[in-house]
Amino acid sequence: MCYGLDRRNNVTDEVHSGDFVFDLIYNTFFKIKKYKSSSHVGSNDGSMDRGNWTNKTEYMLSMIGYAVGLGNVWRFPYLAYKNGGGAFLIPYFIMLAVAGIPIFFMESSLGQFCSQGPVNVWRILPIFQGVGVAMVVVSTLVGIYYNVIIAYSLYYLFASFQFPLPWSDCFDCCFTIMYQVCNITTAASWSEPILTGNMTLWENHTCPEKDIISIPIQSPSEQYWDLVTLQRSSGLDETGPVVWHLALCLLLGWLLVAAALYKGIQSSGKVVYFTATFPYVVLLILLIRGLTLEGARDGIEFYIGSKSNLTKLAESEVWRDAATQIFYSLSLAGGGVTALSSYNKFHNNVFKDALTVCLTNCGTSLFAGFAIFSILGHMAHVYGKPVSEVAQAGFGLAFIAYPDALSKLPISPLWSILFFFMLLTLGLDSQFAGIEVLSTCLVDAFPETLKSKRSIISMGICSILFLLGLPCVTQAGIYWVTLMDQFCAGFVILFVALLELVGIFYIYGGNRFIKDIEMMIGTRHSIFWLWWRACWFFISPAIITMILVWSWLTFRPPSYGTVQYPAWGVALGWCMITFCLIWIPLVAVWKIFHAQGNPWKRLCAVCSPVEGWGPYLDVHRGERYADGGQVDGKNSVQLPEHNHYQMSKQPNTPLTP
């Protein structure tokens, strides 16, 4: 990537004010001093050259849409039920406070401060620029399989325009009750195992109870998922042909993404007015409908009611699940938070925004659980089973259990359409930000060439990722999706987040970074920063390290249901992790090699900000960054003249290779 940026002092006139009540409380308890210089605020707060959000609402909806995704609906409710119900909220919100909000605040502050994407922000620390590259690679791989899940939602959405729903009845030798096999072969009259549905007589004999073997069954919705939607093969070894109805839905999904990102944030910012708000309308409708159903109370009791188990808090796995869910739910270390924040006005209150997005995300997870478990409780009532036997997570909840429950309701197509349209909008919001990471990095790297070609970039990225996603819509596609999800969205982003914290707070300098933030939001009292220092320097890195070590020690090869992955499949998963992380040492070595001086001077050089690092516009650079080569009076890195990563000494002029 090239750092040749054309900085111009083009600005806009808008400065957004926050909510009055929030500001009153916030200013009373946290904000001790005003901005040092009011001249920084006003007409000189944005860049028309690079682009800014049209208004604050578009940014907030885009960020909430990115953070609130499918995991809020199909993962959190199950984890809460599994880990003690209401008791799970205690570790969940503790992890939000000590890890989720601090890292989200850090990433959004970094992007807003320098108005650059997740690769170029690492001009702050050139030796760690590979961390930004790793984020881009992860976003690419996640984008490939995430749109396949959107394709599943589209297919079920179209299938819902039928009455009755196609998964409501058996269509190919399925059973709605558990069946048994009589395993007696000793007597002549019992020459082979006998399938008995209700223990009726066979040749005037009854199967002894001790010889009855219960056989798992497939519900109609499970058969529809396996045999019709996926046309699932026996394993990763059996690829099979492309499932064309899924391929067409995948194409439609990418067309929707490309259309929304046709003009970058200027077009996606308009789309999120609907896609970020509609899921809340559907969740509210489903909750109201669910609460009127018989058995809903049992579902909610299992989810977060009186059956909460406080003794679960003594189990370390509960705390790990809470930390992991917070981390993945907020989409940290994927580059999206930094990319979206980079289009903010410089003096936007990034702290208040981070707090709002994080609390909204967690509130959505909690709210979604009530909508999900109220209807699952009704499903358990209909089948005469405990809720624990119908509750599932992931694909099992979204495409098997919940559709099965919806098929039992009056006017079932209506509820099914609403549910899958909600899944579609949840998925699209997250996908918008993921693809924006890629296009932002490209435009930041080659601004003069690509700045006016946003539409071509968006269409090109979507076209390439569509082709790369075709193996995920073969008959073995679900195995590829599961493999990529477990490996690409696991170890990599945890390791990247840890390096972010180490690089910024231990090498660049935590105090220096805090001064950078204060240039945007104003000076704060040292008491305000006490908590954030504790989290950034100690608590958050410790939690991430704990999760990494625990995940490593408890690692189990991936599986889909009862299907185990072959050894080469697991090896391929580790290769994906290697491919994502290998850029970190490669870029570090490359940077050191191209620096000047002896080995120690080279190392010191690449561990300092590049010349020209700082706010995007000259008007925001202030005294600390008035000289492009000085940061707080300290020389930034000096790279050889032939290195195309060297910045021009004047921050508002383009780089000359």
Side-chain angles (χ1 to χ4, degrees), residues 192-248:
E192 59 184 10
I194 307 158
L195 177 64
T196 61
N198 55 6
M199 291 301 98
T200 54
L201 294 178
W202 182 80
E203 292 189 7
N204 296 323
H205 292 279
T206 301
C207 184
E209 185 176 353
K210 63 182 179 66
D211 294 311
I212 298 174
I213 301 175
S214 295
I215 304 297
I217 61 172
Q218 275 195 321
S219 65
S221 61
E222 190 174 359
Q223 277 209 333
Y224 188 83
W225 169 246
D226 281 338
L227 302 181
V228 179
T229 305
L230 302 178
Q231 299 180 16
R232 181 162 64 93
S233 65
S234 59
L236 195 62
D237 295 303
E238 184 184 352
T239 302
V242 170
V243 181
W244 287 107
H245 59 258
L246 289 181
L248 292 175

Side-chain angles (χ1 to χ4, degrees), residues 75-87:
R75 179 172 168 82
F76 173 81
Y78 178 80
L79 284 180
Y81 148 75
K82 169 190 168 186
N83 291 306

Side-chain angles (χ1 to χ4, degrees), residues 117-238:
V119 173
N120 276 13
V121 295
W122 288 102
R123 291 179 303 169
I124 191 176
L125 201 63
I127 195 173
F128 272 44
Q129 193 165 28
V131 172
V133 178
M135 289 181 177
V136 174
V137 175
V138 170
S139 293
T140 302
L141 295 176
V142 171
I144 291 172
Y145 78 80
Y146 201 82
N147 227 48
V148 176
I149 302 174
I150 294 176
Y152 296 156
S153 302
L154 280 168
Y155 178 74
Y156 269 80
L157 176 62
F158 296 143
S160 298
F161 287 91
Q162 303 178 52
F163 185 79
L165 292 173
W167 54 83
S168 59
D169 295 312
C170 294
F171 63 95
D172 182 20
C173 187
C174 71
F175 297 85
T176 57
I177 62 171
M178 183 71 73
Y179 68 91
Q180 294 86 30
V181 170
C182 188
N183 191 31
I184 294 183
T185 59
T186 55
S189 58
W190 299 93
S191 57
E192 59 184 10
I194 307 158
L195 177 64
T196 61
N198 55 6
M199 291 301 98
T200 54
L201 294 178
W202 182 80
E203 292 189 7
N204 296 323
H205 292 279
T206 301
C207 184
E209 185 176 353
K210 63 182 179 66
D211 294 311
I212 298 174
I213 301 175
S214 295
I215 304 297
I217 61 172
Q218 275 195 321
S219 65
S221 61
E222 190 174 359
Q223 277 209 333
Y224 188 83
W225 169 246
D226 281 338
L227 302 181
V228 179
T229 305
L230 302 178
Q231 299 180 16
R232 181 162 64 93
S233 65
S234 59
L236 195 62
D237 295 303
E238 184 184 352

Side-chain angles (χ1 to χ4, degrees), residues 180-349:
Q180 294 86 30
V181 170
C182 188
N183 191 31
I184 294 183
T185 59
T186 55
S189 58
W190 299 93
S191 57
E192 59 184 10
I194 307 158
L195 177 64
T196 61
N198 55 6
M199 291 301 98
T200 54
L201 294 178
W202 182 80
E203 292 189 7
N204 296 323
H205 292 279
T206 301
C207 184
E209 185 176 353
K210 63 182 179 66
D211 294 311
I212 298 174
I213 301 175
S214 295
I215 304 297
I217 61 172
Q218 275 195 321
S219 65
S221 61
E222 190 174 359
Q223 277 209 333
Y224 188 83
W225 169 246
D226 281 338
L227 302 181
V228 179
T229 305
L230 302 178
Q231 299 180 16
R232 181 162 64 93
S233 65
S234 59
L236 195 62
D237 295 303
E238 184 184 352
T239 302
V242 170
V243 181
W244 287 107
H245 59 258
L246 289 181
L248 292 175
C249 289
L250 180 63
L251 176 61
L252 178 58
W254 279 115
L255 289 175
L256 292 174
V257 173
L261 296 175
Y262 187 73
K263 294 184 178 180
I265 62 169
Q266 303 304 321
S267 55
S268 66
K270 305 299 184 293
V271 176
V272 294
Y273 278 104
F274 175 76
T275 57
T277 57
F278 182 75
Y280 293 95
V281 176
V282 175
L283 285 174
L284 180 60
I285 293 173
L286 291 175
L287 175 61
I288 294 173
R289 182 66 183 101
L291 292 176
T292 63
L293 298 172
E294 193 172 3
R297 181 183 179 87
D298 293 335
I300 294 176
E301 290 287 344
F302 266 90
Y303 168 49
I304 209 167
S306 61
K307 297 184 180 180
S308 298
N309 184 4
L310 289 174
T311 61
K312 283 279 190 177
L313 297 180
E315 299 178 12
S316 58
E317 186 176 358
V318 174
W319 293 85
R320 186 201 64 173
D321 285 346
T324 304
Q325 176 61 18
I326 282 292
F327 202 87
Y328 296 145
S329 178
L330 291 173
S331 303
L332 302 174
V337 175
T338 303
L340 295 180
S341 299
S342 70
Y343 296 103
N344 274 337
K345 304 294 179 66
F346 185 77
H347 287 293
N348 173 64
N349 194 330

